[in-house]
Amino acid sequence: MNLDDVVQNLAEQLDRSLVLYDAELNLVAFSAHDDDVDDVRRTVILSRRGSARAREMIHRAGAHRAHGTVVIPPDEKTGAPARVIFPVRRGDRLVGYIAYIHTGTPDEAAAWSRDALDVAADDLKELLYERELGRKRDLVRVNEQLTRVLSGDADARTEAANVLRGTRMIGASRTFTVLVLTVGPPDGEPSIEDRLALDDCMAELLRKSPSRVAGTVLATHAVAITPRRVNQERIAEHLGGEEFARLRAGVGDPREDLVDAVGSYREALVAARAAWLDKPTYGPVAKWSDLGLDRLLVQLPLDSLTRRDLPPPLQKLLAVDGGPDLVATLESYLDNACDAQATARDLVIHRSTLYYRLDRVREIVDIDLGSGSVRRELHTALRVATLAGLRGAR
């Protein structure tokens, strides 16, 4: 029998609608059900995965350590009813969970009910273990080929691209775009918790993608090659949830050939770094095509810069009392091409207030804001100060 058959047979014996998960709470199989489907079951079937809330409750109840039935109490936050969780083990190794709504009836505790679960678990444990091995083999293959197609070796990239296309690890397309996910600047080393967040986020993005995407988690970040343009709004919405709020994403420009996706990858890494260095400007997702001058600036050794590396006029302005207001005013003025009316509108101040602040800037640093070279120097220095985190530093 296969997994679906075992689950359906057990559901009929218990007269319950069942869901079967793997050890990571990915949906594996579910029994047939009538029209009255509870919201949790419907969400799991549609998303193919238990929610972060479900994982939290299962771990809190100790089901991941249990060797028998565990009852998860009703969830007041979501209104979900109580559920029976039966861990499926192969020896001491957890390979999955059987879950169904807990009705509180005496037959749920009867010996025949426990026997039915035990018999089904004997079949499921081997089927789930084989499935787990197959998924790990697939992940290793994807990881190997993605690493090669994003490497600097042209021959390796060509060979890997042929494997990815030939084995349908990635969908056919006229363009390929790289997405990078990070939990800090892409060159930083993630913690175990951060790596789990990357794993979960990448897995969910792959499940929700309408096309076949090749994605994996590397040493410091997650990466995916999509056979289409990346929907920036959809990624931002995905990262807006509590579970993935600490992640940031970078998106490179599309390439016409999979072999050339390495260029999009490099751009995505730079974009992800920009998203971390200036969250107010870019939000959770930054695209290479939107970076402008930041394409160059975020690749500077920003970590080693201090205020003494900034041009003297900006050093003086950052050091004075009232400096933050004056700095923000100067930046907005330069952003608006020295248009006083547009600047006052952006800052929501009267133009006379703007002129007073600009006079204070000229007085403090003794510069001519009418000079193009002065404006260029200050504007660039302000971006560097922001990206290097020097605006509030001393």
Side-chain angles (χ1 to χ4, degrees):
M1 285 196 294
N2 59 31
L3 288 163
D4 292 319
D5 291 336
V6 177
V7 169
Q8 187 59 41
N9 286 344
L10 178 60
E12 291 171 3
Q13 291 180 61
L14 299 180
D15 193 24
R16 299 283 185 271
S17 294
L18 305 183
V19 172
L20 177 67
Y21 300 101
D22 64 16
E24 297 174 356
L25 276 192
N26 297 303
L27 177 66
V28 176
F30 56 92
S31 64
H33 50 259
D34 53 29
D35 293 334
D36 187 20
V37 183
D38 71 285
D39 289 339
V40 172
R41 180 180 171 88
R42 181 183 295 107
T43 300
V44 167
I45 291 172
L46 291 175
S47 67
R48 311 297 297 177
R49 184 170 176 78
S51 67
R53 178 69 177 165
R55 276 179 287 169
E56 176 189 342
M57 294 183 71
I58 284 175
H59 277 253
R60 187 185 302 162
H64 60 299
R65 297 188 301 268
H67 287 259
T69 299
V70 174
V71 175
I72 305 294
D75 186 2
E76 295 180 0
K77 285 188 177 181
T78 63
R83 271 179 160 71
V84 173
I85 304 294
F86 184 83
V88 180
R89 295 185 175 278
R90 187 176 185 269
D92 289 331
R93 183 187 184 85
L94 176 69
V95 292
Y97 299 98
I98 299 168
Y100 57 91
I101 290 178
H102 177 56
T103 62
T105 56
D107 62 332
E108 285 183 327
W112 67 265
S113 175
R114 295 194 300 273
D115 288 345
L117 285 166
D118 287 337
V119 170
D122 279 340
D123 293 329
L124 291 174
K125 67 184 181 183
E126 298 303 330
L127 294 170
L128 285 169
Y129 183 64
E130 290 173 12
R131 177 182 179 275
E132 180 185 335
L133 291 180
R135 288 184 71 233
K136 286 184 176 180
R137 284 193 294 267
D138 290 343
L139 286 173
V140 169
R141 292 181 68 204
V142 170
N143 191 304
E144 288 176 350
Q145 302 310 323
L146 270 184
T147 301
R148 295 179 71 210
V149 86
L150 298 176
S151 72
D153 187 314
D155 291 337
R157 292 203 309 272
T158 300
E159 185 179 342
N162 290 336
V163 172
L164 286 170
R165 284 187 295 244
T167 56
R168 297 187 179 180
M169 293 184 197
I170 192 168
S173 177
R174 293 182 179 179
T175 60
F176 297 89
T177 307
V178 173
L179 166 74
V180 164
L181 293 172
T182 71
V183 285
D187 50 352
E189 188 71 28
S191 66
I192 294 175
E193 292 77 12
D194 289 340
R195 187 174 177 84
L196 288 173
L198 287 175
D199 281 329
D200 287 348
C201 189
M202 179 55 67
E204 198 159 323
L205 288 175
L206 294 178
R207 277 194 302 275
K208 290 183 176 180
S209 175
S211 52
R212 188 177 293 276
V213 174
T216 190
V217 178
L218 303 178
T220 62
H221 56 276
V223 60
I225 304 179
T226 72
R228 57 203 293 273
R229 289 183 178 272
V230 173
N231 186 318
Q232 186 174 1
E233 291 73 24
R234 186 176 298 168
I235 300 297
E237 181 180 350
H238 187 69
L239 298 183
E242 182 180 348
E243 185 178 6
F244 304 128
R246 66 184 184 277
L247 272 63
R248 294 292 180 272
V251 182
D253 279 351
R255 295 298 193 275
E256 292 184 1
D257 196 312
L258 184 56
V259 173
D260 299 323
V262 63
S264 182
Y265 175 51
R266 185 188 71 81
E267 294 166 356
L269 287 171
V270 174
R273 180 169 168 78
W276 272 104
L277 294 175
D278 192 0
K279 299 174 189 177
T281 295
Y282 294 109
V285 184
K287 294 177 68 175
W288 171 260
S289 56
D290 294 335
L291 297 189
L293 181 64
D294 284 352
R295 293 182 179 188
L296 299 175
L297 299 184
V298 300
Q299 296 184 72
L300 295 174
L302 296 169
D303 292 343
S304 63
L305 296 180
T306 69
R307 277 196 180 179
R308 293 182 61 83
D309 296 307
L310 300 174
L314 185 54
Q315 288 186 49
K316 290 181 182 179
L317 198 58
L318 289 169
V320 300
D321 291 336
D325 280 345
L326 296 178
V327 171
T329 298
L330 175 60
E331 185 171 42
S332 179
Y333 185 61
L334 295 171
D335 286 344
N336 284 287
C338 300
D339 183 327
Q341 185 172 346
T343 303
R345 185 169 56 247
D346 278 358
L347 295 174
V348 196
I349 59 176
H350 195 275
R351 266 192 290 177
S352 60
T353 303
L354 171 64
Y355 292 138
Y356 168 77
R357 291 184 184 177
L358 292 176
D359 285 342
R360 284 278 294 137
V361 169
R362 294 186 184 95
E363 185 180 305
I364 292 168
V365 298
D366 190 24
I367 54 173
D368 178 12
L369 290 177
S371 166
S373 61
V374 169
R375 293 200 300 266
R376 181 181 66 240
E377 178 181 290
L378 285 173
H379 210 183
T380 303
L382 278 165
R383 277 309 290 160
V384 171
T386 298
L387 296 172
L390 299 177
R391 295 278 284 266
R394 287 288 178 182

